[in-house]
Amino acid sequence: MIKDDFLEKEFSIYIDTCSLLSDYSEAFWNYILPYLRKYGQTVIVIPAVLNELIKHSENAENKELARKSQQVLCLLQSLEKESLACMGNWYDHTYADQDFITLFRSKSKKESVLLITQDKELAANVLALKEPNLSVRRILVDGSLSEIKLKEKASFWFMLCNKIVNFLFLSAEDRLSKQGVCKLCKKRMDTRYMKKGICATCLKKGTIHRCKRCGKKMLYTHYLRYVEKAKPFIYCDSCYLFRKQIYETRVCESCGNRFEITQGEVEFYKSKNWVLPKRCKNCRKQRK
Ligand SMILES: [Zn+2]
Ligand SMILES: [Zn+2]
Ligand SMILES: [Zn+2]
């Protein structure tokens, strides 16, 4: 174990999903919370990690994982209220869904960054950036943090380098295949949360239209427009239903068949100052 003076320094502290879900996470929070409070520090949870937690929390096959993820999300929410954890709007424009590698590549040039992860591969990738301001630690059984360093034995150096380069290359490709740019807000994000190239947030947004009959505001969502490819509604739900109601049933003057006149038709004929039709639709068509 090493001395934990690092917590007294100005560090941006990041944590990944596997550390949050680790068996030692409770011990970890007990260990780190006094430091966070004392030095006004915050543990940052990046959107990619938050997305993973949310996904795990809805996992129907692994109930234990779902329960644990829900607990972690609850804990993070309460820590966020105390400004001890941060998973909110801070990333909105600059860091949306960047992963650790991309994030640290730009961040660690300007500030000291600490990543807490149990994931050896992620640790190796981050350390391979060789940024002096960047340190990686893992949670130990007692909740304290131990430094992870790349072992670079001379004889294995070339092999190790090769391995890292390969891994970086593969994982970069992997990342590219899962990352997309929302065509509306231009943010980069996981394509699993996108439909037709549009992110979930943008799909819920849209343009306001007014019901032609009552003037009520209706949201023509981007989901309706781009996914369902529906035209904007002319009438609101209640007006639509009203217009479908039958006003009266008449007997056609030409063919003797019964035909129905809807409330919608009554409104239409009134608006044109026309009298209600005396013939059914078929006969009206034929007379034209
Ligand atoms: Zn978007
Ligand atoms: Zn209406
Ligand atoms: Zn008729």
Side-chain angles (χ1 to χ4, degrees), residues 211 213-216 235-236 238-239:
C211 168
R213 186 167 171 269
C214 71
K216 190 176 146 189
Y235 301 103
C236 71
S238 47
C239 290

Side-chain angles (χ1 to χ4, degrees), residues 252-257 279-283:
C252 173
E253 275 188 357
S254 298
C255 69
N257 282 339
R279 292 176 183 84
C280 72
K281 266 185 189 151
N282 275 340
C283 295

Side-chain angles (χ1 to χ4, degrees), residues 208-222:
I208 299 288
H209 288 249
R210 284 184 182 274
C211 168
K212 192 182 163 189
R213 186 167 171 269
C214 71
K216 190 176 146 189
K217 281 183 187 171
M218 298 180 291
L219 182 65
Y220 178 43
T221 59
H222 292 137

Side-chain angles (χ1 to χ4, degrees), residues 146-206:
S146 120
E147 195 159 22
I148 301 177
K149 274 185 177 158
L150 273 191
K151 288 176 193 130
E152 291 181 5
K153 283 182 190 166
S155 49
F156 291 112
W157 199 84
F158 182 68
M159 244 174 62
L160 190 68
C161 245
N162 244 352
K163 250 188 162 172
I164 290 165
V165 167
N166 270 342
F167 186 81
L168 274 176
F169 177 71
L170 284 176
S171 60
E173 214 173 43
D174 196 29
R175 277 199 301 278
L176 281 178
S177 67
K178 281 179 197 158
Q179 293 279 305
V181 174
C182 169
K183 63 181 178 190
L184 296 182
C185 67
K186 311 292 181 206
K187 282 182 193 168
R188 280 182 67 78
M189 58 192 70
D190 196 320
T191 48
R192 285 172 298 177
Y193 302 102
M194 288 164 63
K195 275 198 170 81
K196 303 266 172 200
I198 301 168
C199 74
T201 316
C202 288
L203 285 175
K204 283 182 217 151
K205 292 180 186 164

Side-chain angles (χ1 to χ4, degrees), residues 43-262:
V43 171
I44 301 165
V45 181
I46 68 166
V49 168
L50 199 61
N51 281 341
E52 272 177 3
L53 285 172
I54 292 167
K55 221 180 78 201
H56 287 325
S57 73
E58 290 159 354
N59 190 329
E61 277 145 45
N62 191 339
K63 292 250 162 66
E64 180 54 31
L65 178 65
R67 192 189 56 79
K68 178 92 193 180
S69 305
Q70 283 159 16
Q71 279 180 351
V72 170
L73 286 167
C74 279
L75 174 74
L76 289 174
Q77 270 171 355
S78 62
L79 290 177
E80 196 176 37
K81 280 182 197 145
E82 286 186 74
S83 300
L84 298 171
C86 170
M87 48 177 183
N89 298 323
W90 63 277
Y91 59 82
D92 251 8
H93 297 291
T94 332
Y95 306 115
D97 241 33
Q98 286 185 340
D99 58 34
F100 286 117
I101 305 288
T102 347
L103 183 66
F104 294 159
R105 245 167 56 187
S106 54
K107 276 232 145 202
S108 57
K109 296 245 190 312
K110 290 166 250 156
E111 54 192 274
S112 297
V113 169
L114 168 67
L115 171 67
I116 298 165
T117 178
Q118 311 300 96
D119 184 339
K120 280 182 191 150
E121 288 177 343
L122 175 64
N125 281 345
V126 169
L127 288 170
L129 292 172
K130 296 202 186 298
E131 295 288 348
N133 292 336
L134 223 165
S135 46
V136 182
R137 298 192 185 209
R138 63 191 291 268
I139 306 173
L140 300 177
V141 189
D142 65 353
S144 67
L145 298 170
S146 120
E147 195 159 22
I148 301 177
K149 274 185 177 158
L150 273 191
K151 288 176 193 130
E152 291 181 5
K153 283 182 190 166
S155 49
F156 291 112
W157 199 84
F158 182 68
M159 244 174 62
L160 190 68
C161 245
N162 244 352
K163 250 188 162 172
I164 290 165
V165 167
N166 270 342
F167 186 81
L168 274 176
F169 177 71
L170 284 176
S171 60
E173 214 173 43
D174 196 29
R175 277 199 301 278
L176 281 178
S177 67
K178 281 179 197 158
Q179 293 279 305
V181 174
C182 169
K183 63 181 178 190
L184 296 182
C185 67
K186 311 292 181 206
K187 282 182 193 168
R188 280 182 67 78
M189 58 192 70
D190 196 320
T191 48
R192 285 172 298 177
Y193 302 102
M194 288 164 63
K195 275 198 170 81
K196 303 266 172 200
I198 301 168
C199 74
T201 316
C202 288
L203 285 175
K204 283 182 217 151
K205 292 180 186 164
T207 45
I208 299 288
H209 288 249
R210 284 184 182 274
C211 168
K212 192 182 163 189
R213 186 167 171 269
C214 71
K216 190 176 146 189
K217 281 183 187 171
M218 298 180 291
L219 182 65
Y220 178 43
T221 59
H222 292 137
Y223 182 84
L224 281 174
R225 185 167 171 187
Y226 296 105
V227 181
E228 299 278 316
K229 299 212 186 297
K231 291 207 169 92
F233 294 136
I234 298 168
Y235 301 103
C236 71
D237 289 348
S238 47
C239 290
Y240 179 78
L241 290 174
F242 173 79
R243 286 174 51 87
K244 287 209 120 180
Q245 284 172 20
I246 306 301
Y247 170 71
E248 62 176 28
T249 306
R250 293 188 164 192
V251 176
C252 173
E253 275 188 357
S254 298
C255 69
N257 282 339
R258 296 170 74 82
F259 69 99
E260 287 164 342
I261 295 178
T262 63

